[in-house]
Amino acid sequence: MKKTHTLKTAGADLVYDVHGPLPTADGRPPLFMIGQPMDATGFAALAARSAERTVVTYDPRGLGRSVRRDGRDDHTPETQADDVHALIQELGAGPVEMFASSGGAVTALAVVARYPGDVTVLVAHEPPLITLTPDGPAALRARAAVREAYEKRGWGAGMAAFVAMTSWEGEFTEAYFDQPEADPAAFGMPAEDDGSRDDPLLSDRSWAISDHRPDVDAITAAPTRVVIAVGEESRAVQTGRTSAATAELLGQPLTVFPSHHGGFLDGEFGYPGKPDEFARRLREVLDGAA
């Protein structure tokens, strides 16, 4: 059973969903699932496969159903960490367990650093911390080229450039930059420009997420068990390499999960993962069995 609530803060109305009872039926902390820029809809398949747990999902401020009232349009790990902390406080159910993916994994690392008593175990899945990789300057150049394509030619062109960037294997060498511009039609995307330029993934609005550098001292001092996870199919691409760099920064091994960056998805966004296998692996890791 899912119940939807809204937490009104000074800067945003945060909409969140509680799947299951609170207090939890088994006395175990609720399991938070967070993303960025993905909202709660992206965790439907994984939440359904975690029915033995009380799961909490939410829409980050300014995304999905959550309306921001702070006059800003950028997304920063610190602000989002404050929002997640506010939700945990509102539920009165902390400390919680947490699965966080992509930009949500960056937010979650900031939560652990800023609020060390909030999370008992964090599985941070493929945090896109592009400045941590050895080719960080080239990665920034590749990111800027995505924004340039978006600004010049619209959403289809920007998303095609983004897919080309995130599917490139290995470091961003001159061979990458010498490629012709990605063709939206080749990726099944529209070539026409609808005029919008506010996409959080393709604009510079989320650059603070991928520019973030985790506070290693605060994270390692926190009581949270932090697991950096990577999809088995992602090892050679950018988010796989950023995951390895994050794990190395924190002085820990990298934990491998099934599938790719969206491995917990069930095809609802057109690129299915392996949600059954992913959910089993998550259960093992949260339980400390692997």
Side-chain angles (χ1 to χ4, degrees):
M1 180 178 62
K2 180 178 77 172
K3 293 184 178 179
T4 299
H5 309 270
T6 300
L7 171 62
K8 293 183 177 295
T9 71
D13 297 339
L14 302 173
V15 178
Y16 64 98
D17 305 303
V18 180
H19 308 251
L22 276 178
T24 61
D26 59 1
R28 189 169 180 174
L31 172 59
F32 267 62
M33 296 180 179
I34 66 174
Q36 159 63 37
M38 186 176 70
D39 60 28
T41 58
F43 294 107
L46 188 56
R49 289 165 172 80
S50 307
E52 77 281 2
R53 302 291 304 273
T54 293
V55 172
V56 180
T57 57
Y58 94 115
D59 294 352
R61 65 169 60 196
L63 301 172
R65 301 160 295 174
S66 292
V67 178
R68 66 188 309 168
R69 293 180 282 98
D70 58 0
R72 300 175 64 118
D73 60 13
D74 60 331
H75 303 279
T76 69
E78 294 79 12
T79 297
Q80 294 194 12
D82 291 346
D83 287 345
V84 172
H85 172 69
L87 287 173
I88 294 171
Q89 294 290 103
E90 173 72 9
L91 290 172
V96 303
E97 297 181 13
M98 188 171 289
F99 170 74
S101 187
S102 194
V106 180
T107 295
L109 290 170
V111 171
V112 172
R114 292 166 75 86
Y115 304 103
D118 275 5
V119 183
T120 59
V121 55
L122 163 64
V123 178
H125 179 249
E126 300 200 9
L129 297 169
I130 65 176
T131 65
L132 300 186
T133 59
D135 62 329
L140 293 177
R141 180 182 168 193
R143 183 185 67 178
V146 170
R147 177 176 180 265
E148 182 179 7
Y150 177 52
E151 291 292 336
K152 285 185 175 179
R153 297 187 287 135
W155 184 87
M159 185 56 73
F162 179 79
V163 173
M165 178 185 74
T166 55
S167 60
W168 178 263
E169 295 189 354
E171 295 190 354
F172 292 106
T173 62
E174 287 306 314
Y176 171 81
F177 296 105
D178 288 342
Q179 296 179 110
E181 291 183 333
D183 179 9
F187 298 98
M189 296 168 187
E192 61 271 13
D193 184 356
D194 67 3
S196 65
R197 295 295 185 272
D198 57 358
D199 189 291
L201 192 65
L202 305 178
S203 66
D204 59 357
R205 296 184 177 192
S206 297
W207 281 12
I209 301 286
S210 49
D211 284 343
H212 183 69
R213 188 173 184 87
D215 186 335
V216 176
D217 291 341
I219 292 170
T220 54
T224 309
R225 176 167 66 93
V226 176
V227 176
I228 306 300
V230 65
E232 61 187 350
E233 298 173 29
S234 300
R235 301 295 292 268
V237 300
Q238 186 180 49
T239 54
R241 297 189 303 111
T242 60
S243 301
T246 304
E248 182 178 0
L249 183 70
L250 296 177
Q252 62 172 257
L254 192 58
T255 299
V256 179
F257 269 63
S259 198
H260 48 67
H261 190 65
F264 48 90
L265 298 175
D266 201 11
E268 58 270 55
F269 298 107
Y271 189 28
K274 298 178 180 177
D276 293 332
E277 295 94 328
F278 198 101
R280 284 196 294 271
R281 181 64 169 148
L282 178 60
R283 194 174 297 113
E284 292 172 353
V285 173
L286 289 172
D287 291 346

